[in-house]
Amino acid sequence: MLSINTNLPSLIVQNNLTKSTNGVNEAIKRMTSGYKINGAKDNAANYSISESMSSKLSSYDMAAQNTAMGADMIETASNTIDNMASGTARLRELCIQAQNGTYGKQSIEAMQTEANSIISQILSWISFSPKITDDQRILQKIL
């Protein structure tokens, strides 16, 4: 006759040990993460709210980064405008010096070379935008 030997108390203890181990693992997971809600099974409604708030926070972080980049772009444009203003002021000085009649041909040619250099520098500063490129063509016609 065939007989199957089982140790029922041992199976009960093993089952309880597995449950206890799972419970300890879950408790350790919660303690190490620092969060009350680690997943939807903890509290589905609050988990949904938490995820919604997390996505809003990440979108606010991105908006802050975009704002910082916009401020940097404005600062760069401001510095470029300042450089252009100083360049056009120097062009004005060169024009006045060239027209006062006290300089010879060589000096006027040197002034023209400097003016051409300043103009090409200004044109290189404003060549990054299609709208400004149209203004560049107008500026070249004027100069």
Side-chain angles (χ1 to χ4, degrees), residues 7-114:
N7 189 352
L8 189 59
S10 173
L11 292 175
I12 292 170
V13 169
Q14 286 177 356
N15 189 27
N16 288 337
L17 179 62
T18 303
K19 288 179 183 177
S20 296
T21 303
N22 290 341
V24 168
N25 288 340
E26 184 67 25
I28 289 172
K29 179 180 162 186
R30 287 185 180 174
M31 284 192 304
T32 57
S33 72
Y35 295 118
K36 184 177 179 181
I37 301 170
N38 289 316
K41 69 178 183 176
D42 295 331
N43 186 339
N46 287 344
Y47 182 75
S48 173
I49 292 169
S50 172
E51 286 299 310
S52 173
M53 291 176 77
S54 294
S55 66
K56 285 181 183 179
L57 284 175
S58 64
S59 66
Y60 292 149
D61 286 342
M62 184 53 68
Q65 288 177 2
N66 289 344
T67 303
M69 284 193 292
D72 290 342
M73 188 175 74
I74 289 172
E75 184 179 347
T76 301
S78 175
N79 291 337
T80 302
I81 290 171
D82 289 343
N83 290 338
M84 289 172 60
S86 65
T88 53
R90 179 63 183 149
L91 283 174
R92 184 176 183 276
E93 291 171 7
L94 289 173
C95 288
I96 291 170
Q97 286 176 355
Q99 291 178 352
N100 72 8
T102 59
Y103 292 99
K105 183 177 181 181
Q106 261 187 332
S107 297
I108 291 176
E109 287 175 1
M111 288 180 205
Q112 183 62 46
T113 302
E114 183 181 352

